[in-house]
């Protein structure tokens, strides 16, 4: 059995409240007793199968490539990172059950990444908070950015609020749009999308109407027809998983292809993007909001870090946009940058939080965003200019969109 890090001891202690002897045994180890030969186990709980299989698979591959990068550069205090996974099948209730079992086992993980899908992440955060586990997740729901409710959790992708705010207002001004319709899923993710757009257009001369659909409905035409009935100048769509495919089908069946339309990152991250899973007609007059790393650049303009990342990803097989994998890659590098700071492992979770607030890395260190900076009032990332961009719906090759000039 592995010796216990403070996180392992916290997890064991939480269960051992009913069995005091177990708590005493758990507390007998110290970080200094850990051998460099012992791995640093990072547990990812998420839908490896089910409706979110494509983005989750990409996330896990990115974690593995990131672990390889960190391990080549000394690991975490000399310990090699090992990525372990538990399959929630995309079910938040199952995700919580699997997480609780892992934390209460004789061999709990050193660190947990609670999915990258908002519904699952939000379901698991209360469990991690109660157990004093710090966590990182790319789930973009603004509901996860709540330092008071989840003091040990940090988003490693900008919240949907900030993604939209960084690009949508400027795009609407460029088009001269005055009336905006938003159509999104009736779930936690969709709630976050609506809040994001409302915040982004607040104070602008934009008339906004919002519409939602049940993501499990097979035919989304009625919902799309309702959105078009508002006579918008621009339609903004977002959802994730299988409903993204049906939403583009509804765009055609509802006769919406003549209205300029943008899709959010939930849809651009799904199954190779709309160009791949939507018909040619569905992609007419369509643009997508993407991370800057998703737009292909000539090799001469690629950074050495990107080249190392993409080489690792190609070895594992790229089946969707690189953004999910790139976020995971940065996520593991962020974890290592924090955990390798003096005193963090010995004083979890509070030292982890303070180390995140005071993180200092060289310019250009991150693959997916200009800067990673958190504050006690915000546990999400604020994108810089150009971190998120609208591009025409385009063909994807090796996980990047090939935009024709």
């Amino acid at each position: 059995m592995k010796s216990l890090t403070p996180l392992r001891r916290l997890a064991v202690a939480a269960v051992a409240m009913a069995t005091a002897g177990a708590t005493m045994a758990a507390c007998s180890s110290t970080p200094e007793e850990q051998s460099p030969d012992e791995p640093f186990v990072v547990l990812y709980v998420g839908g490896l199968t089910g409706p979110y299989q494509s983005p989750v698979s990409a996330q896990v591959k990115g974690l593995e490539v990131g672990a390889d990068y960190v391990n080549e550069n000394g690991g975490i205090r000399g310990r090699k990172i090992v990525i372990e996974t538990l399959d929630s099948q995309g079910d938040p209730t199952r995700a919580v059950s699997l997480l609780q079992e892992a934390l209460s086992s004789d061999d709990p993980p050193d660190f947990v990444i609670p999915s990258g899908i908002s519904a699952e992440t939000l379901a698991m955060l209360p469990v991690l908070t109660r157990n004093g586990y710090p966590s990182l997740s790319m789930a973009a729901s603004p509901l996860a950015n709540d330092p008071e409710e989840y003091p040990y959790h940090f988003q490693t992708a900008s919240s949907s609020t900030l993604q939209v705010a960084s690009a949508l207002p400027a795009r609407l001004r460029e088009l001269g749009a005055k009336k905006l319709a938003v159509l999104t899923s009736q779930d936690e993710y969709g709630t976050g999308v609506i809040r994001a757009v409302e915040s982004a257009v607040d104070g602008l001369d934009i008339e906004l109407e919002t519409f939602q659909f049940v993501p499990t409905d097979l035919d989304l035409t009625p919902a799309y027809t309702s959105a078009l009935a508002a006579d918008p100048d621009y339609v903004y769509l977002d959802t994730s998983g299988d409903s993204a495919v049906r939403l583009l089908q509804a765009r055609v069946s509802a006769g919406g292809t003549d209205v300029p339309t943008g899709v959010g990152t939930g849809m651009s991250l799904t199954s190779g993007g709309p160009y791949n899973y939507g018909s040619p007609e569905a992609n007419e007059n369509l643009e997508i909001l993407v991370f800057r790393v998703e737009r292909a650049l000539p090799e001469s303009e690629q950074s050495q870090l990107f080249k190392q990342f993409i080489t690792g990803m190609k070895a594992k097989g790229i089946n969707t946009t690189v953004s999910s994998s790139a976020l995971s890659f940065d996520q593991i590098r962020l974890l290592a940058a924090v955990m390798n700071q003096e005193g963090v492992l010995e004083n979890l979770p509070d030292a982890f939080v303070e180390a995140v607030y005071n993180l200092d890395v060289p310019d250009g260190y991150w693959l997916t965003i200009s800067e990673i900076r958190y504050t006690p009032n915000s546990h999400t990332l604020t994108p810089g200019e150009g971190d998120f961009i609208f591009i025409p719906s385009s063909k994807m090759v090796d996980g990047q969109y090939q935009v024709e000039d």
Side-chain angles (χ1 to χ4, degrees):
M1 175 180 169
K2 301 183 183 76
S3 57
L4 299 178
T5 67
L7 284 183
R8 293 176 186 273
R9 295 201 303 276
L10 281 168
V12 172
V15 176
M17 290 176 67
T19 54
T23 304
M24 293 178 63
C27 294
S28 63
S29 299
T30 65
E32 287 74 20
E33 293 173 2
Q34 295 157 27
S35 165
D37 295 333
E38 290 186 359
F40 186 96
V41 177
V42 175
L43 174 65
Y44 178 97
V45 184
L48 297 169
T49 60
Y52 306 111
Q53 178 176 350
S54 177
V56 167
S57 173
Q59 290 166 23
V60 172
K61 289 178 181 179
L63 293 174
E64 292 171 345
V65 174
D68 290 342
Y69 178 93
V70 170
N71 291 340
E72 290 171 5
N73 289 277
I76 292 180
R77 305 278 283 271
R79 298 167 62 194
K80 300 293 186 183
I81 297 175
V82 172
I83 306 298
E84 295 184 354
T85 60
L86 291 173
D87 183 12
S88 67
Q89 300 173 0
D91 179 355
T93 302
R94 177 176 169 82
V96 169
S97 178
L98 291 170
L99 176 62
Q100 290 173 327
E101 290 177 9
L103 297 186
S104 63
S105 71
D106 290 338
D107 198 17
D110 291 290
F111 194 81
V112 175
I113 295 175
S115 184
I117 305 300
S118 293
E120 291 190 310
T121 300
L122 290 168
M124 287 186 276
L125 284 181
V127 177
L128 291 167
T129 302
R130 285 196 302 270
N131 283 275
Y133 257 72
S135 59
L136 302 171
S137 173
M138 70 177 66
S141 170
L143 301 177
N145 178 26
D146 190 339
E148 185 173 340
E149 187 75 15
Y150 310 123
Y152 313 129
H153 179 68
F154 295 87
Q155 290 179 311
T156 54
S158 299
S159 72
S160 53
T161 300
L162 295 175
Q163 292 177 19
V164 172
S166 71
L168 183 60
R171 187 62 182 136
L172 294 174
R173 285 193 294 269
E174 289 173 3
L175 296 172
K178 297 296 184 181
K179 194 167 186 179
L180 171 65
V182 174
L183 179 57
T184 187
S185 46
Q186 190 174 311
D187 54 16
E188 290 91 344
Y189 184 81
T191 298
V193 168
I194 290 175
R195 290 183 181 179
V197 176
E198 288 175 338
S199 175
V201 302
D202 184 39
L204 302 180
D205 186 20
I206 299 289
E207 183 180 346
L208 171 65
E209 292 199 41
T210 62
F211 305 85
Q212 290 184 275
F213 57 85
V214 177
T216 54
D217 284 352
L218 296 181
D219 184 7
L220 303 183
T221 305
Y224 211 114
T225 300
S226 296
L228 293 176
D231 194 26
D233 300 318
Y234 192 85
V235 176
Y236 184 78
L237 312 172
D238 209 7
T239 184
S240 58
D242 296 342
S243 60
V245 178
R246 298 193 299 277
L247 190 53
L248 282 193
Q249 293 171 344
R251 183 171 188 251
V252 175
S253 59
T257 58
D258 59 335
V259 181
T261 302
V263 306
T265 53
M267 293 181 68
S268 68
L269 289 172
T270 297
S271 301
Y275 187 96
N276 184 54
Y277 61 77
S279 67
E281 187 176 1
N283 278 274
E284 292 177 5
N285 212 13
L286 186 73
E287 56 190 13
I288 56 179
L289 181 63
V290 300
F291 295 79
R292 62 177 182 176
V293 73
E294 293 179 274
R295 181 170 184 165
L297 295 175
E299 186 174 355
S300 60
E301 298 179 25
Q302 296 172 2
S303 69
Q304 189 58 43
L305 180 65
F306 176 80
K307 291 178 180 179
Q308 187 169 351
F309 160 75
I310 204 67
T311 297
M313 286 303 302
K314 286 180 178 179
K316 292 185 178 295
I318 301 174
N319 60 356
T320 187
T321 167
V322 297
S323 56
S324 288
S325 301
L327 286 166
S328 292
F329 179 78
D330 272 351
Q331 193 172 64
I332 287 295
R333 295 170 65 240
L334 171 61
L335 173 63
V338 173
M339 288 295 194
N340 276 323
Q341 293 187 44
E342 185 176 354
V344 172
L345 274 174
E346 292 83 358
N347 297 284
L348 295 167
D350 293 337
F352 181 92
V353 174
E354 287 301 315
V356 172
Y357 291 157
N358 296 296
L359 188 65
D360 185 21
V361 298
D363 290 342
Y365 185 82
W366 306 111
L367 187 61
T368 56
I369 197 167
S370 304
E371 181 183 36
I372 288 184
R373 184 69 61 193
Y374 299 98
T375 71
N377 295 321
S378 179
H379 284 194
T380 192
L381 300 179
T382 301
E385 184 177 354
D387 284 340
F388 291 91
I389 54 176
F390 277 103
I391 62 172
S393 183
S394 307
K395 182 179 181 181
M396 181 180 292
V397 177
D398 289 334
Q400 291 188 294
Y401 292 108
Q402 312 295 309
V403 181
E404 296 181 3
D405 296 327

